[in-house]
């Protein structure tokens, strides 16, 4: 059976950047897109914080350009999903696709990203990119001087609220329980900010609007419906790394993020590298994912030379 030099699993900024670098180094490789070609960025609208686009760029367009660049240099794109892996401490690794095809490769770059935790309530997906966001850093500026809501009571929700307080007119922090679970340090900062209003004991019931989000229906602890008018909602109840198929096969932390060796993308298994949000729980930005994709490709190139 044909042996591939490298297989990239994932097609977000980390996956496509590593493909571009591998292709330019003339390393034979395949990129498996998974179920969502382009990754989470295809679900966003305008990306304004990726260098090189002074007017911003649609997330879908940015990923399309990365795809074209990888194709230009010779990346072979496979519109398929890796469902099972056999990672060895020796030289070769075996991957199995959704249609049960077997691939043998000398190295693997895991770039499967992370997935936001959804509320799974009515019209949440309808308004994704049209008033609903999972990234305050990415989309906060679209709501300058407007009223928004942040959903969650942990560190991420408070960090998002503090950030948005400098941009937006008013922030409703919607908390399902009667207290915050975030660190006391963040709580102390939050309580001093005048344009943040905390709504305790409130559960999101429904999102409402027309083409764009306009209202949120909330249920209080007495099952009474409260409606608030907002221009945007930031759902900040956490995310999880897309690493399920690698469970018990590679070293991870307790939350499922792949552990890489210091200042590299190397994992505990020779020939297996991780890039992007599968190993980054701190920054989680398109530009940092792209940077680690570059690192992974360079690490693979050095590995294959040995």
């Amino acid at each position: 059976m044909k042996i591939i030099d490298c297989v990239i699993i994932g097609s977000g900024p980390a996956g496509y950047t590593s493909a571009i670098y591998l292709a330019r180094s003339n390393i034979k490789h395949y990129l498996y897109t998974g179920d969502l070609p382009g990754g989470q960025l295809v679900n966003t609208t305008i990306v304004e914080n990726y260098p090189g686009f002074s007017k911003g760029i649609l997330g879908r367009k940015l990923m399309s350009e990365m795809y074209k660049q990888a194709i230009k240099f010779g990346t072979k794109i496979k519109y398929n999903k890796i469902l099972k892996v056999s990672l060895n401490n020796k030289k070769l690794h075996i991957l199995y696709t959704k249609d049960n095809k077997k691939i043998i490769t000398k190295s693997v770059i895991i770039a499967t990203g992370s997935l936001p935790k959804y509320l799974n309530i009515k019209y949440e997906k309808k308004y994704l990119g049209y008033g609903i966001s999972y990234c305050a850093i990415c989309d906060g500026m679209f709501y300058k001087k407007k009223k928004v809501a942040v959903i969650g009571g942990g560190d991420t929700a408070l960090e998002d609220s503090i950030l948005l307080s400098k941009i937006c007119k008013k922030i409703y922090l919607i908390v399902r329980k009667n207290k915050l679970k975030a660190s006391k340090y963040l709580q102390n900062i939050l309580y001093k900010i005048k344009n943040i209003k905390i709504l305790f004991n409130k559960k999101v019931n429904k999102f409402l609007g027309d083409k764009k989000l306009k209202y949120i229906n909330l249920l209080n602890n007495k099952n009474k419906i409260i409606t608030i008018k907002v221009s945007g909602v930031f759902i900040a109840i956490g995310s999880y790394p897309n690493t399920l198929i690698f469970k018990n096969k590679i070293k991870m932390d307790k939350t499922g993020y792949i552990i890489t060796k210091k200042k590299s993308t190397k994992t505990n298994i020779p020939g297996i590298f991780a890039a992007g949000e599968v190993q980054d729980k701190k920054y989680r930005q398109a530009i940092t994912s792209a940077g680690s994709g570059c690192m992974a490709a360079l690490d693979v190139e050095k590995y294959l030379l040995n």
Side-chain angles (χ1 to χ4, degrees), residues 158-214:
L158 268 65
E159 287 169 356
D160 286 357
S161 298
I162 293 165
L163 169 70
L164 292 167
S165 71
K166 301 170 185 176
I167 302 167
C168 303
K169 182 180 179 181
K170 187 168 186 176
I171 297 93
Y172 296 101
L173 178 59
I174 299 168
V175 185
R176 190 171 60 175
K177 297 183 179 180
N178 63 355
K179 62 181 180 180
L180 298 170
K181 63 179 181 179
S183 67
K184 291 295 181 184
Y185 173 76
L186 287 173
Q187 290 187 43
N188 290 337
I189 296 173
L190 186 91
Y191 282 123
K192 294 176 183 176
I193 301 173
K194 294 181 179 180
N195 63 337
I196 296 177
K197 183 176 181 180
I198 306 175
L199 302 178
F200 288 111
N201 294 311
K202 303 293 186 296
K203 181 181 178 182
V204 180
N205 180 54
K206 190 191 297 182
F207 295 111
L208 300 168
D210 39 48
K211 290 184 179 179
K212 291 185 178 181
L213 176 75
K214 288 186 176 180

Side-chain angles (χ1 to χ4, degrees), residues 260-276:
T260 51
K261 296 180 181 179
K262 194 174 181 181
K263 296 183 179 179
S264 82
T265 61
K266 298 175 184 177
T267 68
N268 64 306
I269 300 177
I272 307 298
F273 305 85

Side-chain angles (χ1 to χ4, degrees), residues 1-5 28 92 104-106:
M1 185 175 282
K2 184 165 59 175
I3 298 172
I4 308 301
D5 287 334
K28 187 175 180 181
L92 299 177
I104 301 176
T105 180
K106 296 176 184 176

Side-chain angles (χ1 to χ4, degrees), residues 112-283:
T112 44
S114 66
L115 300 170
K117 291 180 180 177
Y118 297 100
L119 291 170
N120 292 317
I121 61 171
K122 198 167 186 180
Y123 303 131
E124 180 177 0
K125 291 186 178 179
K126 174 183 176 180
Y127 292 116
L128 180 58
Y130 297 92
I132 291 180
S133 171
Y134 297 89
C135 182
I137 294 174
C138 310
D139 299 331
M141 286 303 296
F142 295 121
Y143 302 95
K144 191 173 183 180
K145 297 182 180 180
K146 295 181 179 180
K147 292 181 180 180
V148 300
V150 175
I151 299 169
D155 282 0
T156 301
L158 268 65
E159 287 169 356
D160 286 357
S161 298
I162 293 165
L163 169 70
L164 292 167
S165 71
K166 301 170 185 176
I167 302 167
C168 303
K169 182 180 179 181
K170 187 168 186 176
I171 297 93
Y172 296 101
L173 178 59
I174 299 168
V175 185
R176 190 171 60 175
K177 297 183 179 180
N178 63 355
K179 62 181 180 180
L180 298 170
K181 63 179 181 179
S183 67
K184 291 295 181 184
Y185 173 76
L186 287 173
Q187 290 187 43
N188 290 337
I189 296 173
L190 186 91
Y191 282 123
K192 294 176 183 176
I193 301 173
K194 294 181 179 180
N195 63 337
I196 296 177
K197 183 176 181 180
I198 306 175
L199 302 178
F200 288 111
N201 294 311
K202 303 293 186 296
K203 181 181 178 182
V204 180
N205 180 54
K206 190 191 297 182
F207 295 111
L208 300 168
D210 39 48
K211 290 184 179 179
K212 291 185 178 181
L213 176 75
K214 288 186 176 180
Y215 303 95
I216 313 175
N217 264 357
L218 304 174
L219 278 176
N220 65 14
N221 56 355
K222 296 180 181 179
N223 282 330
K224 182 180 178 181
I225 292 178
I226 301 164
T227 301
I228 60 172
K229 187 176 182 179
V230 292
S231 297
V233 171
F234 295 87
I235 299 173
I237 56 174
S239 63
Y240 59 93
N242 190 14
T243 56
L244 186 60
I245 65 169
F246 306 104
K247 189 176 180 180
N248 299 322
K249 298 177 185 296
I250 198 167
K251 193 173 182 180
M252 301 181 187
D253 68 12
K254 61 182 180 181
T255 56
Y257 285 89
I258 296 172
I259 297 171
T260 51
K261 296 180 181 179
K262 194 174 181 181
K263 296 183 179 179
S264 82
T265 61
K266 298 175 184 177
T267 68
N268 64 306
I269 300 177
I272 307 298
F273 305 85
E277 292 189 21
V278 289
Q279 52 83 52
D280 172 23
K281 65 168 72 174
K282 183 177 181 180
Y283 300 105

Side-chain angles (χ1 to χ4, degrees), residues 74-99:
T75 296
K76 294 187 183 298
I77 308 290
K78 302 289 184 179
Y79 292 94
N80 207 330
K81 184 178 182 179
I82 302 296
L83 286 185
K84 185 180 174 183
V85 298
S86 177
L87 309 179
N88 304 303
N89 283 311
K90 298 179 181 178
K91 285 286 183 181
L92 299 177
H93 311 280
I94 303 172
L95 314 176
Y96 298 90
T97 64
K98 195 174 183 178
D99 55 1

